Amino acid sequence: MEFEAIPGVGEKTAAALSELDDAERALEEGDVAALARAPGLSEGRAAAVARGAIRRRHDDDGGFLATDRAREIYDDVCGLLRERTVTDYAARRIETFYPTRSASRIAEVREFVERATEREPDPDVLEALSGVEPLDPPPTRRVRDRCLATADAERYAEADEAFPELSVEVVDDARGLAELARSYSTVIALDEQFAGVDVEGDVRVRPDAIDEQEEIVPERVLAFFAANRERILAAAAVHEAADLDPPCDPDGLRDALDRLDEDGTVVGDAELDRLSTAVDDLDAAVGTAESVANDRLRDAIRERDVTIEGTDFLSLVEQGARVDSLLDRELADEYDAAVAAAREHLIEALDLGPGEADFAERAFPDDPSFPVEHNDSVVSRLRTELKAARDQRAARLKRELAADLSDLREPVETLVRDALELDVELGVARFAEDFDCTLPEFVDGRESDDAPRGFAIEGGRSPLLDVDFEDVDPVDYRVSGATLLSGVNSGGKTSTLDLVALVVVLAQMGLPVPAERVRLERFSELHYYAKTQGTLDAGAFESTLRDFRDLVDGEANRLVLVDELESITEPGASAKIIAGILEALAEQDATAVFVSHLAGEIREVAAFDVAVDGIEALGLEDGELVVNRSPVKDHLARSTPELIVEKLADGDASDSAFYDRLLRKF
């Protein structure tokens, strides 16, 4: 894949992506975690790259969100979805969903949604998901008991790059191999020329070593599984709780992981445990064995009366005899028993096997001496034999376990990836459930009652309001063409615009919308202009007009939402400017909703029959507005001041003439 062809990917990012083994798959599937493993790529940047790859696949030039307020609505949507995910991965993965004009991308996401909404957000599944994270490559650990050897400079460079865990040495001949064999437990020769060389030590000729890296360094596989053990087990638990079909047998996977310690060593092998314990306890066991022998001899000497005649004593002294001779003559049986006890203790304490027990026999001499002392050279040889047996068994077990786990590497990656993707699906499912969502209907072609131009929302409720969703009043609203929306202050005009923007953004992301039913055309762009605070100065006013000039000069099929544009300048001028903008949008056959308190004035100066809808206040109760939140079609809503004057006119008979006069002005 040509990475630089992805929108937003430059030379540096493309180079980072090229270092990934599975970049094309990750880009195809939107796997943010895999992309984030590229050097220098943050998770946020990875999500942006994934979006760019999706856009390229669907020939989408982007730009649907054309204004800051439109982008804020999208951010709010992503926030609502992220709140319903468990894993950090799913929260980032949500960012790969974006509103688009591309029909193929919308259809792709809708297929995903249909699968997702069939999922049941079971609490046990969500609990299991809390332990799942993307798999991490473990840090490289040096392996010091073996090395690679080669006489070829090019192969040296290749091996040094392929095996960062091992030392790579340059040798010229068999003598060089022999020297390495004295320093390392195992030497792996990479050159065919060393085949058949007779060298003392464990020297293996493996010209294929670079192609069999996991066999040469099984610690690499073991470290990966040790570092990711909890994530893997959590992913297996997710599959079981969600009744998913796992890519490998969870019980077999757990059995394999049970043989692996958290530091990457093999556990659960009785023979390896015996040898390791014997090596660790050898010195202590030898010391205790000596004590056993000497304690027995001391007891024997205390209990025996040894009589030596004068001539015998003189003879022993003249011959330079030591106590050893006395032991040999007087306590030979007791000495043999003491040494036998020492040997037996050493064998039992270290659980020595038949071949190893021979060293125990030779570790304590047959010739009587006191105190009894072990033979250092024999104990040293026993230590060497035990270490060699331990290391050989550990190496074999590592290779065997690494081979088993290596076969599970791809299934485990799929296992974890599927669990993480399930979290994305459940996030969407929970969103749809929490906000009573349904998939919208896209309509194209000539307008009719069943296929409107613009949009038609039935029973829409915005989750962006600062109240419990259950308390939100449903809104019905249909717009085709350029429309003015009037209504009282605090009647819900801005909230209605937010609802429309939210519904359109979700729909064109391919996601379900919070409404009973929604029909809309596929818009090319969303332009949402929020209410400005106060009258703009001349420069800002000019800039705003330039924005609208670019808007009306652009392509058709846009959705334009504007909140109280009259605040940009004086009311009289504002009405004329808004009328002119609406005229241009009507000529484009665009869909537009302008919230304004000047709807009547705008309608009077507009050169076409502009539609005016109204959010009608039903009255005042205890000083609070009672409002019908659904805009009434072709209705100029009354203002709040009019409602207050009307209430006063109806309620104060003594001053009713004054209030009636004011009321006639509306």
Side-chain angles (χ1 to χ4, degrees):
M1 176 183 289
E2 184 63 38
F3 296 129
E4 289 189 57
I6 298 172
V9 173
E11 181 179 352
K12 184 177 179 180
T13 302
L17 292 173
S18 66
E19 296 191 28
L20 295 175
D21 293 333
D22 58 349
E24 292 192 22
R25 179 205 61 79
L27 290 167
E28 178 73 21
E29 298 177 8
D31 189 343
V32 176
L35 295 174
R37 287 199 289 268
L41 225 63
S42 67
E43 289 186 344
R45 177 65 180 144
V49 170
R51 283 196 304 272
I54 294 169
R55 285 175 49 198
R56 179 174 180 265
R57 191 165 68 246
H58 292 279
D59 194 25
D60 178 8
D61 59 4
F64 178 83
L65 301 169
T67 62
D68 290 342
R69 182 56 184 152
R71 286 183 283 272
E72 288 173 2
I73 293 293
Y74 168 66
D75 290 340
D76 290 339
V77 166
C78 290
L80 291 171
L81 289 163
R82 280 194 296 266
E83 289 172 4
R84 284 153 182 81
T85 61
V86 177
T87 63
D88 291 340
Y89 169 86
R92 286 295 184 187
R93 176 81 163 81
I94 289 297
E95 297 177 21
T96 64
F97 297 100
Y98 65 95
T100 176
R101 71 189 70 183
S102 168
S104 60
R105 172 57 181 170
I106 293 172
E108 181 178 74
V109 176
R110 285 169 69 97
E111 289 180 6
F112 167 86
V113 169
E114 288 174 355
R115 295 194 306 271
T117 49
E118 292 178 357
R119 303 285 188 194
E120 184 66 32
D122 185 278
D124 291 338
V125 176
L126 300 179
E127 176 64 26
L129 277 169
S130 64
V132 183
E133 295 180 49
L135 299 174
D136 271 345
T140 299
R141 299 176 182 175
R142 295 291 291 181
V143 177
R144 304 188 183 280
D145 67 342
R146 78 198 75 119
C147 74
L148 303 173
T150 180
D152 184 271
E154 291 185 3
R155 179 159 287 191
Y156 170 89
E158 186 179 4
D160 191 52
E161 181 179 358
F163 294 97
E165 303 92 342
L166 302 181
S167 294
V168 184
E169 307 288 346
V170 176
V171 295
D172 296 324
D173 49 29
R175 180 179 298 176
L177 279 181
E179 291 178 358
L180 288 177
R182 284 193 286 271
S183 302
Y184 293 93
S185 298
T186 302
V187 177
I188 300 166
L190 303 179
D191 307 328
E192 192 71 47
Q193 70 185 61
F194 292 116
V197 172
D198 186 13
V199 175
E200 185 177 352
D202 186 9
V203 177
R204 307 173 189 176
V205 180
R206 293 293 303 270
D208 63 340
I210 293 177
D211 296 327
E212 302 293 339
Q213 295 183 25
E214 293 181 349
E215 180 182 348
I216 302 301
V217 190
E219 291 86 352
R220 185 181 298 177
V221 176
L222 301 183
F224 170 82
F225 278 90
N228 291 290
R229 172 204 299 274
E230 298 307 319
R231 304 175 185 198
I232 294 169
L233 292 175
V238 168
H239 278 70
E240 291 173 331
D243 198 23
L244 299 179
D245 186 19
C248 58
D249 175 30
D251 291 334
L253 176 61
R254 290 190 184 95
D255 289 343
L257 291 175
D258 284 344
R259 295 155 58 193
L260 185 65
D261 204 356
E262 60 184 13
D263 63 354
T265 57
V266 179
V267 295
D269 182 77
E271 177 63 7
L272 179 60
D273 291 343
R274 183 190 72 82
L275 291 168
S276 298
T277 301
V279 171
D280 294 340
D281 295 350
L282 177 59
D283 289 338
V286 169
T288 302
E290 285 182 346
S291 298
V292 167
N294 288 316
D295 289 346
R296 292 193 61 157
L297 277 178
R298 287 190 185 95
D299 291 342
I301 292 171
R302 290 191 189 99
E303 294 173 1
R304 285 285 298 273
D305 293 328
V306 179
T307 302
I308 304 178
E309 295 181 0
T311 55
D312 291 337
F313 180 75
L314 181 62
S315 175
L316 288 172
V317 170
E318 289 175 347
Q319 296 173 17
R322 299 173 303 156
V323 70
D324 300 352
S325 300
L326 287 173
L327 288 172
D328 189 26
R329 194 185 76 176
E330 299 292 337
L331 297 169
D333 292 340
E334 287 79 356
Y335 179 83
D336 290 343
V339 169
R343 293 166 176 167
E344 182 179 355
H345 173 82
L346 187 60
I347 292 171
E348 290 181 354
L350 301 181
D351 193 17
L352 299 179
E356 300 155 352
D358 292 342
F359 288 96
E361 295 291 332
R362 291 184 280 121
F364 296 97
D366 291 326
D367 297 334
S369 64
F370 188 83
V372 177
E373 295 181 345
H374 68 272
N375 186 317
D376 279 338
S377 63
V378 174
V379 171
S380 177
R381 183 60 189 274
L382 175 59
R383 179 181 290 105
T384 300
E385 292 291 328
L386 288 172
K387 282 185 175 180
R390 178 198 64 186
D391 293 345
Q392 289 172 6
R393 187 166 187 86
R396 180 171 65 80
L397 291 172
K398 283 181 180 179
R399 290 193 299 271
E400 291 174 353
L401 181 55
D404 293 343
L405 290 174
S406 182
D407 292 338
L408 291 170
R409 179 68 177 263
E410 288 189 12
V412 157
E413 289 177 345
T414 302
L415 183 84
V416 173
R417 192 161 55 241
D418 288 351
L420 292 169
E421 284 297 317
L422 176 65
D423 189 23
V424 183
E425 293 182 8
L426 290 177
V428 172
R430 295 169 75 187
F431 175 87
E433 181 178 307
D434 289 349
F435 301 123
D436 296 333
C437 293
T438 185
L439 278 173
E441 307 166 36
F442 285 96
V443 294
D444 294 303
R446 188 181 301 276
E447 181 179 12
S448 66
D449 288 340
D450 293 329
R453 295 292 301 275
F455 62 84
I457 300 172
E458 298 177 19
R461 292 189 291 164
S462 173
L464 301 180
L465 297 175
D466 192 21
V467 295
D468 291 339
F469 184 72
E470 293 76 12
D471 297 331
V472 176
D473 293 328
V475 171
D476 297 336
Y477 195 31
R478 171 175 174 170
V479 170
S480 179
T483 301
L484 287 165
L485 179 59
S486 63
V488 296
N489 289 332
S490 302
K493 300 185 297 298
T494 299
S495 298
T496 299
L497 285 192
D498 285 349
L499 173 64
V500 172
L502 176 78
V503 165
V504 171
V505 166
L506 281 166
Q508 299 207 206
M509 291 172 74
L511 297 176
V513 298
E516 294 176 6
R517 184 184 184 191
V518 170
R519 289 159 291 160
L520 73 163
E521 61 179 305
R522 190 160 38 87
F523 296 107
S524 61
E525 295 174 356
L526 171 61
H527 294 256
Y528 186 178
Y529 295 91
K531 185 190 305 182
T532 59
Q533 300 300 318
T535 302
L536 302 181
D537 59 31
F541 176 67
E542 180 180 345
S543 176
T544 300
L545 290 183
R546 290 182 184 276
D547 288 343
F548 279 98
R549 181 205 62 191
D550 295 339
L551 171 61
V552 299
D553 286 346
E555 61 183 90
N557 200 33
R558 291 168 165 172
L559 174 61
V560 182
L561 305 175
V562 183
D563 195 2
E564 295 191 22
L565 186 60
E566 60 262 28
S567 61
I568 66 173
T569 187
E570 296 84 354
S574 295
K576 297 173 184 177
I577 291 169
I578 295 172
I581 294 171
L582 287 171
E583 290 168 4
L585 292 173
E587 291 172 0
Q588 279 190 340
D589 202 20
T591 301
V593 180
F594 278 56
V595 167
S596 178
H597 289 289
L598 304 175
E601 293 86 342
I602 295 168
R603 182 169 57 182
E604 289 178 4
V605 298
F608 74 108
D609 188 13
V610 59
V612 177
D613 300 333
I615 295 179
E616 182 67 25
L618 304 179
L620 291 166
E621 289 184 5
D622 299 325
E624 298 292 332
L625 281 172
V626 179
V627 179
N628 176 12
R629 302 293 180 181
S630 296
V632 179
K633 300 300 295 181
D634 301 320
H635 175 74
L636 180 60
R638 294 184 296 170
S639 65
T640 303
E642 181 181 359
L643 288 171
I644 294 173
V645 173
E646 182 181 66
K647 179 181 179 181
L648 292 171
D650 292 340
D652 194 339
S654 61
D655 294 325
S656 61
F658 171 73
Y659 295 129
D660 287 341
R661 174 181 292 181
L662 295 180
L663 194 59
R664 287 194 294 272
K665 299 295 184 182
F666 288 95

